[in-house]
Amino acid sequence: MIALLVVACEVAFWVLLAAGLALRYVARKPRLGAAVLLCEPLLEVVLLVVTAVDLKNGAEPDWKHGLAAVYIGFTVGLGHHTVKKVDAWVAHRWFGGPAPVKPPKYGRARAIHEWRTAARWILAAVVALVLLQAAAWYVGADGQVGSLRNWQQKMILVIGINLLIAGGYTVFPKRAPGGAAPDREPADRL
């Protein structure tokens, strides 16, 4: 049931996003569109409550409970940025808005961009780690928490990979070809 709920939350995320953007741009009701978009965090609250109730009712924690924690973490860390990106793309593609800002390609600006991207992914992984640890404590020492620990290891790997990528762009910055002007990192990137 938990795995189906995770899938339902993902589908509902995109449905709410589409509905919010349709209200904002097609129906020209930006406040109502924003209200619909603000309903998206309720999906994670429902998933969190259902997962906690499932564990409280004696379910052995398995990969599905870990997946729920990871989904919530990644929605917290990446959801807002995803909504902003899709909003900018829809506004540009169909409603005459300005072109979305492209990430810088070279030098320090690229390194800053990569660190900001890493920060979002690390936030997602840390939230997932905290939820996974809370679930392990909730089940108690007597429960089988091996699957939750496996998910925690994967989240630590996500953190490590993001630190390596951002660090690589810092230590080995990509240089602009020839006489090209260096990129500047836009102010509203985070």
Side-chain angles (χ1 to χ4, degrees), residues 21-106:
L21 293 176
L23 286 168
R24 181 175 182 162
Y25 293 111
V26 178
R28 302 214 187 273
K29 298 194 179 285
R31 284 186 158 177
L32 186 56
V36 169
L37 292 175
L38 287 174
C39 291
E40 288 183 347
L42 295 177
L43 298 171
E44 283 67 49
V45 172
V46 168
L47 181 59
L48 182 64
V49 168
V50 170
T51 303
V53 167
D54 190 43
L55 289 172
K56 179 156 179 49
N57 289 337
E60 285 293 322
D62 61 7
W63 67 270
K64 295 175 282 221
H65 297 95
L67 178 64
V70 169
Y71 177 80
I72 292 168
F74 279 71
T75 302
V76 168
L78 302 168
H80 178 70
H81 182 72
T82 301
V83 169
K84 280 178 54 177
K85 286 294 208 183
V86 172
D87 182 29
W89 181 78
V90 167
H92 172 67
R93 178 79 168 93
W94 287 298
F95 299 100
V101 177
K102 292 187 179 190
K105 294 180 183 178
Y106 308 108

Side-chain angles (χ1 to χ4, degrees), residues 110-121:
R110 180 59 187 230
I112 291 169
H113 168 77
E114 291 300 331
W115 279 107
R116 287 181 176 164
T117 301
R120 285 188 287 273
W121 282 90

Side-chain angles (χ1 to χ4, degrees), residues 114-145:
E114 291 300 331
W115 279 107
R116 287 181 176 164
T117 301
R120 285 188 287 273
W121 282 90
I122 290 169
L123 172 63
V126 167
V127 169
L129 279 167
V130 168
L131 290 174
L132 289 163
Q133 187 59 46
W137 287 334
Y138 189 65
V139 170
D142 299 336
Q144 297 291 336
V145 295

Side-chain angles (χ1 to χ4, degrees), residues 1 93 98 172 187:
M1 178 175 143
R93 178 79 168 93
F172 306 108

Side-chain angles (χ1 to χ4, degrees), residues 141-163:
D142 299 336
Q144 297 291 336
V145 295
S147 65
L148 300 176
R149 299 288 182 230
N150 288 337
W151 279 108
Q152 285 181 318
Q153 291 170 354
K154 290 176 176 114
M155 294 303 96
I156 291 170
L157 184 63
V158 167
I159 291 170
I161 289 170
N162 279 279
L163 289 174

